[in-house]
Amino acid sequence: MYNQKKLKTFKRVSLIVVIIFAVLVVGGIGFTIGMSGKQAAIKQVEKPKVIVDTKKLSDSAVNKFLIAYYTKKDLGENDNRYKPLMTDSMYNQATSNEKLPVNQAYKGYVIDQVFSKADIYINQKDLTAICNVTYKNTQLTKLNSKVGALFDQPNKVTIRLTFLQQGKKYLVNNLEAITLVEPDGTTSANSYPTAPAAPSSSSSSMSMSSSSTVSSSPSPSSSSEVSTTKEK
């Protein structure tokens, strides 16, 4: 009699264990299926990856150089910032240009220069960029004194940059300050619907003539700019 009761108790316990095990197995399968469904749903709503073509000269690369080149506290203060963005030969030419008397004359008088903005027109074929640059600076009348100084003076300059690709980087290999002259009756001297093509006698309606003089430190009376005429 005692063994029968013990057997019945064992059967009940075994049945409960089997039921609990079955519930756990079914619950585990359901949880796994649910997670798989959620992961699939997340994958479906993921945004497609945008592939950026890094082989082309971009506005951001040109703008990065312009910020480093035109932002400085004084003449030569920014050399170490634009050096990585130039070829060695161009850097040597730029720093040599800073030592010219025409630029040294303004050292200490034209300070706190800050890049504002630039309109950039890139020619991917020739790796050139025409940039209409706007920047501001402070012009002192007396060295080391801001009494009577002219603050936040706006300046504009148009330059042509020539880049050289080295690996994945585009380095400035030439910098020319140019002046675009429009015929009478026009209202915008730097208005292009598209990036201007490389100058030629057969495919362009403008003719540019410029030397390869570097304008390392543009100033209100700098004489290192190259005159360029554009005719329509």
Side-chain angles (χ1 to χ4, degrees):
M1 188 70 178
Y2 176 76
N3 291 335
Q4 289 181 352
K5 289 183 178 180
K6 194 173 183 181
L7 183 61
K8 287 181 180 179
T9 302
F10 177 75
K11 288 181 178 179
R12 289 176 181 175
V13 172
S14 299
L15 181 61
I16 292 172
V17 172
V18 170
I19 292 173
I20 292 173
F21 180 76
V23 170
L24 291 174
V25 171
V26 173
I29 295 173
F31 178 78
T32 302
I33 294 174
M35 289 300 295
S36 299
K38 287 182 179 180
Q39 290 178 353
I42 291 173
K43 288 181 179 180
Q44 289 178 358
V45 299
E46 284 182 351
K47 294 182 179 180
K49 294 182 179 180
V50 179
I51 301 175
V52 180
D53 188 356
T54 58
K55 296 181 180 180
K56 291 185 177 181
L57 176 61
S58 63
D59 283 3
S60 61
V62 178
N63 203 62
K64 182 179 180 180
F65 169 76
L66 295 175
I67 291 173
Y69 191 75
Y70 283 98
T71 300
K72 54 189 173 184
K73 289 186 176 296
D74 201 351
L75 181 66
E77 182 272 335
N78 59 333
D79 290 358
N80 63 324
R81 292 195 296 275
Y82 67 68
K83 181 179 181 180
L85 308 176
M86 284 182 170
T87 60
D88 291 340
S89 59
M90 182 63 227
Y91 176 75
N92 292 333
Q93 185 178 349
T95 52
S96 295
N97 189 70
E98 290 175 350
K99 298 176 183 178
L100 294 176
V102 66
N103 291 319
Q104 286 293 319
Y106 293 96
K107 186 174 177 64
Y109 289 92
V110 179
I111 63 172
D112 298 337
Q113 183 169 293
V114 179
F115 170 84
S116 298
K117 64 177 182 177
D119 297 321
I120 301 170
Y121 308 98
I122 297 175
N123 185 325
Q124 294 290 348
K125 182 179 179 181
D126 297 333
L127 293 183
T128 58
I130 290 180
C131 311
N132 297 321
V133 183
T134 302
Y135 59 94
K136 294 181 179 180
N137 56 31
T138 296
Q139 300 171 14
L140 305 182
T141 57
K142 185 178 180 181
L143 195 63
N144 300 324
S145 174
K146 293 187 177 181
V147 177
L150 300 176
F151 296 93
D152 296 328
Q153 293 300 295
N155 294 268
K156 292 184 178 181
V157 64
T158 301
I159 62 173
R160 177 166 52 204
L161 301 174
T162 302
F163 288 82
L164 181 66
Q165 186 175 5
Q166 292 186 356
K168 294 182 179 180
K169 294 182 178 180
Y170 288 91
L171 304 179
V172 175
N173 194 45
N174 192 38
L175 188 157
E176 302 168 285
I178 60 176
T179 301
L180 302 181
V181 181
E182 290 283 353
D184 294 339
T186 58
T187 57
S188 176
N190 296 310
S191 178
Y192 299 97
T194 57
S200 66
S201 58
S202 59
S203 61
S204 176
S205 61
M206 69 172 70
S207 63
M208 293 185 179
S209 62
S210 60
S211 66
S212 58
T213 302
V214 179
S215 178
S216 173
S217 178
S219 60
S221 60
S222 175
S223 61
S224 59
E225 293 189 356
V226 180
S227 296
T228 301
T229 303
K230 185 181 75 172
E231 299 179 354
K232 291 188 177 179

